[in-house]
Amino acid sequence: MATEKRRLGNILVNAGKITGYQLQEALKSQRTLGKKLGEILLDSKIITEEDIIEAIEQQTGIKKVDLNTINFDKKAISIIPKNLCDKYNLIPFGFENNKIKVTLSDPLNIYAIDDVAISTGFEIESYISKKDDIKKFIEIYYSSQQVSLAAQQLSKESSEAKNLKVNIDEMDNVRNAPVVKMVEYLFKNSIELNASDIHIEPFENEVRIRYRIDGKLQTVNVINIESLGPLVTRIKILAGLNIAEKRIPQDGRIMTSVGGKEVDLRVSILPVVNGEKIVIRILNKSMGNIGRDKLGMSNENLEKIDRIISNPHGIVLVTGPTGSGKSTTLYTILSELNNDQINIITVEDPVEYTLNGVNQVSVNNKAGLTFASGLRSILRQDPDIIMIGEIRDNETAEIATKAAITGHLVLSTLHTNDAPSSIIRLVDMGIKPYLVATSVVGIVAQRLVRKVCMNCNAPYEATEYEKEILGIDKDKQIILNKGRGCGYCNNTGYVGRTGVYEVMEITREHREAINLGKDSDILRDISIKNGMNTLVAECRKLVIDGITTMDELATITMTKE
């Protein structure tokens, strides 16, 4: 190995990245520390990883590959085992002229090349990539592969076993049981891909596993139907559910550690025709308070929010469909309001994220602790600010309204299409218009749209039809963005999401219209006149700025403007 390390040193000297003296000093340190030469040079900050890659590319002709911008060939992934990838920090990504293309963080390591060639029977075409990028994609692609391999092993064992129940009862104590490994890899892979939900869906001959990533479901595995029983049982054991009960829905919770991260998993099991369907919600605790600067609100909307929450009392509503980020917005507002002089109490179903200094109550319908009963109780706890997870019925709406007009600031959510519709929803729930007009101080409607992947971004000139939708003169040239799809975005063209908001401040004019029973169209017109940007208008700005696409704009409800 020493000759290989000196070779790297000579390459760096010849490329002008380091001096001969720096090389000799690094080699002395290497003999003392026993580390690789490249690691010593990086640790001493003499060079960067980019310098090493550039030098190797220039001096040897080994090409660099940005793994974030390529499409992986899954057949290549299946040929090289994960233990070799981990051992040499390499990953295969395709084929060329009957050679398998492999990228390594150390392509000068001839032992790695020989090992892979012997293991696969293929000639190796070497490339070089960043160490951390290789590790990331090993986790992404091989975790998914390990789920399939574990499922195959489980299916084999299941078909051979005379009494599957014996295996199920014992598997919780067998760390290396296929089903245990399968569930571990399932969780690990979903977190690596930043999924928000895992769907395990049984059909007649197979089980489909899908992840919800950036709001869209993607199929990641299809496994044998024989794997379903042990898989469901394992998840039930982890969630503390009844493994014998298969006729009724069950809900549970798994608190676990995945890749050194504490993860909160909410499990929902539903009996369907072909077995039991499982949906697991992955709660990322770090998202509970991401900071207002990460919400995606414009400065204008942030100023409106500040004015709304500065009211000493009243109802502040955050509205939108399920999965639109309402909870994140509420938690961010609560974190800003939270201080030693204020008593904040929440009643939620369930508590998604814990906030230090905030008293949080979880709804328990079986025990009789509903939103309404919990709200009555916390009003006797001398609160300054109350957060209700959701206003679902007349009883909860009435108590929230009374709390608001008796000196409390109440934060809550509703399921409506836009901000003005929330007023009508409260009236439909049986709240008198004059009480709604008196209590509500502001409404935030929101959606989440996917952001264009900047690694595979492909600018293009907007068509006349697109200009018409965006409200731009057809003679004006405008460049829009769209992702082509790459490894970094899992071939979707999108990475991450951002919020789209309309913020409606309740003015005297609004209150008069509410008292007169005006509909949501009138309330919207008043809001726009007073400076409210609608969801559609906000999303159009994001499209024009190249942050999202026309396809995402189409997902926003086309309200009147």
Side-chain angles (χ1 to χ4, degrees), residues 289-359:
N289 175 25
I290 63 171
R292 61 158 61 197
D293 56 319
K294 300 288 187 358
L295 291 175
M297 280 192 189
S298 64
N299 290 332
E300 183 183 354
N301 280 338
L302 286 172
E303 289 172 6
K304 290 177 183 176
I305 293 285
D306 283 337
R307 288 196 295 268
I308 289 170
I309 64 176
S310 65
N311 282 281
H313 51 81
I315 297 177
V316 179
L317 294 172
V318 181
T319 81
T322 302
S324 60
K326 300 187 297 296
S327 294
T328 300
T329 300
L330 278 181
Y331 279 117
T332 301
I333 292 172
L334 278 182
S335 296
E336 290 192 1
L337 293 171
N338 187 22
N339 63 58
D340 291 342
Q341 298 176 336
I342 291 177
N343 179 22
I344 302 176
I345 306 180
T346 75
V347 54
E348 307 168 59
D349 182 20
V351 173
E352 292 189 26
Y353 311 101
T354 54
L355 295 175
N356 189 39
V358 175
N359 304 285

Side-chain angles (χ1 to χ4, degrees), residues 100-150:
I100 187 167
K101 297 195 285 187
V102 178
T103 187
L104 309 90
S105 57
D106 180 12
L108 305 178
N109 187 343
I110 57 172
Y111 301 111
I113 305 298
D114 289 346
D115 237 358
V116 173
I118 292 167
S119 172
T120 63
F122 279 90
E123 191 177 342
I124 308 302
E125 182 77 28
S126 300
Y127 295 81
I128 184 169
S129 297
K130 288 184 179 180
K131 184 177 181 180
D132 288 344
D133 283 351
I134 294 173
K135 285 183 176 178
K136 179 178 78 173
F137 284 102
I138 288 173
E139 291 301 328
I140 287 173
Y141 285 104
Y142 280 91
S143 291
S144 177
Q145 185 189 85
Q146 293 298 324
V147 171
S148 297
L149 291 174

Side-chain angles (χ1 to χ4, degrees), residues 3 25 53 78 105 110 149 192 257 263 271 338 391 394 402 411-412 459 473 502 558:
T3 55
E25 290 298 307
I53 291 173
S78 68
S105 57
I110 57 172
L149 291 174
E192 285 289 339
S257 178
V263 181
N338 187 22
I391 295 178
N394 170 264
K402 287 175 183 174
L411 309 179
S412 190
D473 191 290
E502 64 179 28
M558 301 299 288

Side-chain angles (χ1 to χ4, degrees), residues 144-161:
S144 177
Q145 185 189 85
Q146 293 298 324
V147 171
S148 297
L149 291 174
Q152 289 171 18
Q153 181 63 27
L154 179 63
S155 178
K156 181 182 175 183
E157 289 187 6
S158 298
S159 62
E160 292 173 353

Side-chain angles (χ1 to χ4, degrees), residues 39-54:
E39 289 178 5
I40 290 168
L41 292 169
L42 289 172
D43 290 345
S44 60
K45 294 185 168 50
I46 293 172
I47 56 172
T48 64
E49 190 176 10
E50 287 79 7
D51 290 330
I52 293 176
I53 291 173
E54 188 180 319

Side-chain angles (χ1 to χ4, degrees), residues 256-308:
T256 187
S257 178
V258 180
K261 298 177 184 175
E262 291 299 319
V263 181
D264 187 356
L265 306 171
R266 304 297 169 90
V267 179
S268 172
I269 298 180
L270 180 71
V272 292
V273 171
N274 296 297
E276 291 176 281
K277 180 182 188 294
I278 303 175
V279 174
I280 302 171
R281 167 63 58 89
I282 303 168
L283 295 180
N284 182 350
K285 293 188 176 183
S286 64
M287 294 299 289
N289 175 25
I290 63 171
R292 61 158 61 197
D293 56 319
K294 300 288 187 358
L295 291 175
M297 280 192 189
S298 64
N299 290 332
E300 183 183 354
N301 280 338
L302 286 172
E303 289 172 6
K304 290 177 183 176
I305 293 285
D306 283 337
R307 288 196 295 268
I308 289 170

